[in-house]
Amino acid sequence: MTSLPAAQREVRLLTKPTGLPALEHFEVVETPVVPPGEGEVLVRNLYFHVFATLRILIAGATQDTPFPVLDPGDTLVGAAIGEVIEAPDGVGLRPGDLVSHWLGWREYALVPSAECARIDRTALPDPVAHLQQGWTAYAALTRGVELRPGDTVFVSAGGSGIGSMAGLIARQLGAGRVIASAGSREKAERLRSELGYDAVVVRGEESLGDQLAKAAPDGIDVYFDNVGGEQLRAAVDAARPGARFVLIGALSGQLAADSTGTTAPVELDSLPLIHKRIEMRGFSSDDYDDKNEWTERFGTWLRAGEITFPHVLVKGIENAPRTLLEVIEGRHIGSVVVEL
Ligand SMILES: NC(=O)c1ccc[n+]([C@@H]2O[C@H](COP(=O)([O-])OP(=O)(O)OC[C@H]3O[C@@H](n4cnc5c(N)ncnc54)[C@H](OP(=O)(O)O)[C@@H]3O)[C@@H](O)[C@H]2O)c1
């Protein structure tokens, strides 16, 4: 049996914030590492994903997510990649296997074996690439709106984990003009130069509708909506006849400081929806189980240098709470991952 370290660190919710979280709401604590109990796998986490909408669970709202609500004293959760240290017989896992699971935010995790999925180490060139959210973006663009070559695509929050992949995948699938939104001019410039967007509109500046009209003078065919709110309204105005909208997220409400993040109200003029025959579809990649198609395609594109995996690596669990606040503030581009 492998000798286990005496202790490991994890990030817990200390108190519930009333608005958006701050550093004072988290604590990094040390706990003993214990061998797995019945039906459990002990995993040494290597990486975990930091995503902004964790704030909804911190705020105490359930929504329709696979995660539990977090109470003070609970360890935070999120997608993680790790290496099996100990596994019971008969679960198809062995020490040394690379696995994915949902118990991030800790250095060692005791994961129910049914919630631990083995990763084929040869599928993607870098293990951290298994934490990208390209599957959601790919499924939405291929199953949700069936992107067509030449389409003009608008991706709101085009620098987020999912948004950055959506922009790159849209291009790869033959989109014509690809436009993003971002939270600052500086970020907009980076999205143009680093991710290759043709134009980027900036939220919080002059009318988003005017900016989008300039960015897409002939209108948009596809709207990949991570945000809702005024960006959804601007997209309706900019839509071409027959435009297809795929609604992925509602960050304008989910990250609103004055709510728990479970509503994202927006006033829409329904007449253009009718006149332009706009198709609008709420979408969840959880409804599809053919993720292998994406992983194979992504691996092929990565190896051929046809796509990148935009991400930021932050070293050390002690930096994870600060990193979550930065993700909520939109300071990073791509998927944000803590490396342990
Ligand atoms: N439908 C599905 O299957 C599915 C699956 C997973 C996740 N999701 C959803 O997908 C969306 C994107 O998730 P993600 O992981 O890509 O996000 P993320 O990487 O955590 O990034 C969050 C982004 O939010 C933006 N933001 C911050 N404050 C905002 C505000 N007040 N209004 C609008 N945008 C704000 C920031 O970009 P800027 O500052 O640059 O605007 C930031 O980049 C979320 O709504 C998530 O719940 C959907």
Side-chain angles (χ1 to χ4, degrees):
M1 194 165 88
T2 328
S3 69
L4 301 177
Q8 65 102 35
R9 290 174 301 166
E10 59 190 45
V11 181
R12 291 186 181 166
L13 185 64
L14 187 59
T15 52
K16 266 190 193 297
T18 44
L20 292 174
L23 277 185
E24 72 212 38
H25 298 112
F26 304 101
E27 62 176 346
V28 180
V29 297
E30 212 171 81
T31 66
V33 178
V34 292
E38 201 181 323
E40 285 180 334
V41 179
L42 178 65
V43 178
R44 182 171 72 84
N45 283 339
L46 302 173
Y47 306 99
F48 65 87
H49 178 221
V50 178
F51 59 107
T53 48
L54 188 58
R55 77 88 37 154
I56 297 164
L57 306 178
I58 290 170
T62 49
Q63 272 201 338
D64 187 16
T65 77
F67 306 111
V69 164
L70 293 165
D71 290 316
D74 286 344
T75 307
L76 306 195
V77 289
I81 302 286
E83 202 170 64
V84 172
I85 302 295
E86 284 184 44
D89 290 338
V91 298
L93 293 170
R94 288 191 316 201
D97 280 350
L98 196 65
V99 289
S100 66
H101 60 86
W102 288 104
L103 298 182
W105 294 88
R106 62 205 85 192
E107 292 172 319
Y108 281 76
L110 283 171
V111 191
S113 60
E115 293 167 22
C116 210
R118 188 145 63 87
I119 290 175
D120 173 1
R121 285 181 188 267
T122 64
L124 297 176
D126 181 351
V128 75
H130 287 279
L131 285 177
Q132 42 72 37
Q133 296 143 289
W135 164 237
T136 299
Y138 179 78
L141 289 170
T142 53
R143 279 83 166 153
V145 287
E146 297 179 21
L147 186 99
R148 298 169 198 149
D151 276 343
T152 294
V153 180
F154 173 41
V155 183
S156 56
S160 70
I162 293 175
S164 59
M165 291 305 297
L168 294 171
I169 294 167
R171 185 78 78 199
Q172 204 48 26
L173 295 175
R177 204 166 163 70
V178 188
I179 298 154
S181 70
S184 69
R185 281 188 196 194
E186 186 203 0
K187 190 167 174 182
E189 193 40 53
R190 286 190 59 201
L191 294 192
R192 269 190 292 267
S193 60
E194 294 173 29
L195 299 188
Y197 283 106
D198 295 299
V200 184
V201 298
V202 181
R203 69 180 167 89
E205 294 218 334
E206 67 167 284
S207 153
L208 213 83
D210 291 348
Q211 292 184 60
L212 194 55
K214 276 186 219 149
D218 299 324
I220 60 170
D221 302 295
V222 167
Y223 177 38
F224 189 106
D225 188 13
N226 283 310
V227 172
E230 68 159 339
Q231 305 204 29
L232 176 56
R233 200 164 46 230
V236 170
D237 289 343
R240 278 185 183 149
R244 291 104 68 212
F245 287 19
V246 63
L247 275 54
I248 299 296
L251 289 162
S252 60
Q254 291 170 305
L255 298 183
D258 57 357
S259 78
T260 56
T262 45
T263 59
V266 54
E267 193 175 298
L268 284 183
D269 182 348
S270 60
L271 274 181
L273 296 176
I274 301 163
H275 291 155
K276 298 196 227 181
R277 307 330 187 244
I278 295 172
E279 289 175 21
M280 199 180 280
R281 176 172 178 191
F283 186 88
S284 172
S285 52
D286 293 346
D287 296 341
Y288 298 82
D289 56 10
D290 40 359
K291 187 177 175 185
N292 286 347
E293 173 189 317
W294 158 248
T295 306
E296 273 171 38
R297 237 174 154 181
F298 185 45
T300 306
W301 286 345
L302 273 178
R303 289 189 180 91
E306 292 174 17
I307 202 167
T308 56
F309 162 38
H311 67 284
V312 173
L313 277 183
V314 176
K315 191 114 179 95
I317 199 160
E318 65 281 7
N319 294 313
R322 150 183 88 68
T323 303
L324 174 63
L325 308 186
E326 291 170 2
V327 174
I328 291 173
E329 286 165 16
R331 289 222 224 141
H332 296 294
I333 291 179
S335 297
V336 179
V337 172
V338 171
E339 182 178 12
L340 297 170

